[in-house]
Every structure is written in structure tokens, then in C-alpha cells.
Amino acid sequence: MTPNLTYIVVVGVLFAAGVTLLLERSLTRVLMGVILLGNGANLLLLTGGRAGGPPIVGTTDGAEMSDPLPQAMVLTAIVITLGMTAFLLALSYRSWHLNGHDEVQDDVEDRRIMDLADRDEGPGTDDADQPDSDDQLDGDGRPDPDSRRPSAASLAAAAGGRGREA
């Protein structure tokens, strides 16, 4: 069975609108995106099955039976979409009560990483002036000199040279 062109266009539009809404910061729009993606997946799965009689042995010939697998997959997709919808509704409700809006805010760590990435952009930048992985950064993203670990030689000198003798 070849799928109808209308079904293919509708599935494409549902997926495109769902992905576009998923990329928004509002949890309500994310919820609508999940619902549209779920409906698009259901329609896509339904176009894969062939029309026919009920898939019950004894009521219909084997050649005339419809394929029960797409129907089972659509039922599973409906349950998954319902669970995701309930979860996102709970998140949105909680966010509304705590903050008065359902916008997802940037994380402080994400902002710091974005600022570091913005400073590293441009011609002539290299990684030689970047801090080591064990350096701590202050609030401006520069290495904090007070947080450097002492070297083994400075520890041995501070201990009065009482290191292990070879």
C-alpha cells in the first residue's frame, strides 16, 4: 500500500511544528511540541499498516487481515505521549506556582560557559592563555591565583626537606 501524499505532508508539518515548539523556552510551548510530535508519530505509524478486516483468526481470511503491529505501536505511542504530557504539565504547574511564569531560565553555570566561549572567539586566540583544567576560576572567568595547588617541590620545601629519600 502506498501512503497518500496528504498524509505525508501532514506528518511533515506536525513534525516540523513540534520540533519548532520544542526549541522554545516556554514549557507550555514545549508541551504543545511534544503533543504535535506524538500525533505526527501516530499518523506516521498508521500509514504503515494496510487496511483490511479485523486481525482475529476465524473472522477474516489471512490475506485480507490488517496488520496489527502498527495499531499496537500507535497505542504504545499514545501512552508515551500521555505520560510526557502529564510530566510536562506538572513541571509547568510547579514553575508557575514558584516563579509566576513557565519560562525556563538559563543556568548560572551555562551562562559562565557561554561567556568563556564568547571571550575565546575571534582571530588570534589560542589555548596557551587558557587556564589549566585544575585551575579555579574567579567570578570573571579568570584563573584565581589563590586556588592553585602547590607543587610537590614547594610542599617538600615547606616541610623542611623531609621528603622520601631515594
Side-chain angles (χ1 to χ4, degrees):
M1 173 181 151
T2 60
N4 191 349
L5 182 62
T6 308
Y7 285 140
I8 295 172
V9 170
V10 170
V11 167
V13 168
L14 286 174
F15 271 97
V19 169
T20 303
L21 288 173
L22 276 178
L23 297 175
E24 295 289 329
R25 289 196 174 268
S26 172
L27 286 175
T28 306
R29 292 183 182 172
V30 171
L31 173 66
M32 294 304 294
V34 167
I35 292 170
L36 286 178
L37 273 176
N39 289 335
N42 293 343
L43 189 59
L44 179 67
L45 290 172
L46 278 179
T47 59
R50 68 174 195 263
I56 301 172
V57 177
T59 61
T60 310
D61 268 349
E64 295 176 6
M65 282 188 193
S66 65
D67 189 10
L69 184 61
Q71 298 169 13
M73 290 177 69
V74 166
L75 286 175
T76 304
I78 289 171
V79 171
I80 291 171
T81 304
L82 179 69
M84 287 294 295
T85 301
F87 177 70
L88 286 172
L89 274 174
L91 279 179
S92 182
Y93 179 76
R94 182 73 173 160
S95 175
W96 184 266
H97 274 280
L98 290 177
N99 302 325
H101 56 80
D102 67 343
E103 295 282 323
V104 177
Q105 300 296 320
D106 279 340
D107 188 29
V108 176
E109 184 71 15
D110 288 341
R111 281 195 191 145
R112 187 182 70 80
I113 290 171
M114 286 189 312
D115 290 341
L116 287 174
D118 287 342
R119 280 190 228 133
D120 193 32
E121 288 181 357
T125 59
D126 59 350
D127 291 332
D129 58 348
Q130 295 299 316
D132 293 335
S133 62
D134 58 347
D135 288 341
Q136 298 293 324
L137 301 177
D138 61 5
D140 296 328
R142 292 187 288 262
D144 189 2
D146 297 331
S147 67
R148 289 192 176 258
R149 292 189 221 164
S151 66
S154 64
L155 286 176
R162 293 179 302 199
R164 285 196 276 174
E165 302 294 323

